[in-house]
Amino acid sequence: MRWDALFTDMESQFEESDRLTLEAEINERTRAELVGIELTDRLRGVLGCSIGAQLLCGESFRGRLAHAGADAMVIEEDRQQVLVPYQAVARLVGLGRHALMEASPVRRAIGLAHSLRALARDRAVLTVTLGGVQGAARIEGVIDRVGKDYFDLAAVEPGGSRRSQHIHQVSTIPFTALAAIRSLRSQGL
């Protein structure tokens, strides 16, 4: 009987050692996989879900995540859409643990400048939030043109359209100063 107990005990110890080795290997592989997951992958994992975004300038947005691009995301609020560059985000709430990598290299390459050019083509009046250490500032206007790392915003009179008689100034805004762009929700974005 003593030998049976001894062999049973040794078998249990080997099984426990194998289980611990397997768990350690799984944990190590999980950590190695996490190194390759980007923020955009995490955001794509919750597309269509409600998230919150707090910006470095103090602004906060909450709504349905409609798009997660290379440099920015779009959050749909009740009546507006908000384009938020990742560089302006201090924290995100509601991402969960899911991640989804983008398979298309074309979609991975679509950045902030592409989104701004689409807004410029629409000629819609936008509210641009500039962020900095002193807080947020807002400018209303229409995007005139988009360069590699900046865009020109023609500030229009309230209720006015993008016509020369309605413009009171044109601002050149570096992408690095951009915290968010709000537009009225459209049916297709």
Side-chain angles (χ1 to χ4, degrees), residues 51-55 58-63 73 75 84 89-93:
I51 67 164
Q54 182 179 4
L55 306 187
E59 295 276 315
S60 292
F61 301 104
R62 181 152 201 77
M73 65 184 160
I75 297 174
V84 180
V89 176
R91 77 181 180 120
L92 296 164
V93 177

Side-chain angles (χ1 to χ4, degrees), residues 70-72 83-85 87 110-117 146 175 178:
D71 301 326
L83 175 75
V84 180
Q87 70 184 19
I110 295 175
L112 181 59
H114 292 90
S115 300
L116 295 177
R117 286 186 188 98
V146 180
F175 287 176
L178 179 62

